[in-house]
Amino acid sequence: MFKASSNLFKILLVIAIFFISCSKDDENAAGYSESFVNLATHKLRAYNVNIKSKYLVVFESGLGDGHESWMSSGKKSELVSLSSAVNSDILIYDRGGYGMSGIDNEPRNINTLRLELEAVIAQYADGRKIVLIGHSLGGMIVRDYAIKNPDKTAAILFIDPMHEKYNNPEAGNILYDAMVKAYGVNYGPTRETKEIAVDIAYGASLPVLPNVPVVVLTSMKLDKNNNASDEINKLNREKWFQAHEELGSGLTDFTHIATVKSGHYIHHDEPELVNYNIKFLLSKLP
């Protein structure tokens, strides 16, 4: 009888701890919301913290990364803490085929992805200008958004962004074959990988960025992943850095920072560096 009561007590304790944990997370999640953005053919899941700031900071993830790239614990309070750290409303979302987001039959190239980003921003911007944060493939998506929407773009932070002067179609084809073998042809990231050669050509056709404050963070760390990237693209870290320098063409307010402390995921390895530069960009705005 005692043993049964003891086991029941343990179960109740675990349940109580769970609800207390959830309660604390909810308490720390002021301004947090989740919703779907309805497109003509599918829905995209978005995650937002609203503290009624003047600008909206929008995060765009890299290839294969959903919103968890910016919210690794999955807790609402983590996103609220990020908003507090940069003192701004923030918005992250899952592209088509990621997480709870649906997907259509259109080619998943930069043009398509930028159109979806435009729809997400339109639902949350409420007339405000946008500070764009783009990691890896997300860097080319926000670059295209800024060029197509200069009047809506206040500033840009690129985090180790994809660039046509470094990334090459042959590497994209190799990666696509590997993704098909591992995940199949209909997996969202696989369908994005299929368009890398198209995206590289598209990137080469883009004009310069609008003349807004821009910061680029470049990983120069000689780690396993960066070395593999250099090998498959048949270039080196110096070429990676030089490609990112190209983003400053024609700009009057351009800052390029190299780090050897972080790999490709600078926002994971050095979140304080990313947060500092978001605040740095916001400080420049009227």
Side-chain angles (χ1 to χ4, degrees), residues 227-246:
N227 290 342
S229 178
D230 288 347
E231 182 176 354
I232 196 172
N233 286 287
K234 300 179 181 179
L235 292 171
N236 54 37
R237 287 293 91 187
E238 286 69 30
K239 293 295 184 182
W240 182 236
F241 184 87
Q242 290 170 17
H244 291 169
E245 276 285 299
E246 296 280 335

Side-chain angles (χ1 to χ4, degrees), residues 156-250:
I156 311 168
L157 173 61
F158 292 101
I159 303 174
D160 231 28
M162 173 181 174
H163 197 281
E164 64 276 4
K165 291 289 184 70
Y166 172 89
N167 298 97
N168 69 63
E170 182 181 343
N173 293 336
I174 294 170
L175 181 57
Y176 174 69
D177 290 341
M179 292 283 280
V180 169
K181 185 176 181 180
Y183 303 106
V185 295
N186 293 319
Y187 180 51
T190 302
R191 291 180 56 192
E192 290 181 353
T193 307
K194 184 180 181 180
E195 305 300 324
I196 285 180
V198 173
D199 293 340
I200 290 169
Y202 185 78
S205 73
L206 290 174
V208 297
L209 288 164
N211 194 19
V212 298
V214 170
V215 173
V216 182
L217 304 180
T218 298
S219 170
M220 297 295 285
K221 187 176 183 179
L222 299 178
D223 64 6
K224 181 179 178 180
N225 291 333
N226 281 348
N227 290 342
S229 178
D230 288 347
E231 182 176 354
I232 196 172
N233 286 287
K234 300 179 181 179
L235 292 171
N236 54 37
R237 287 293 91 187
E238 286 69 30
K239 293 295 184 182
W240 182 236
F241 184 87
Q242 290 170 17
H244 291 169
E245 276 285 299
E246 296 280 335
L247 294 169
S249 297

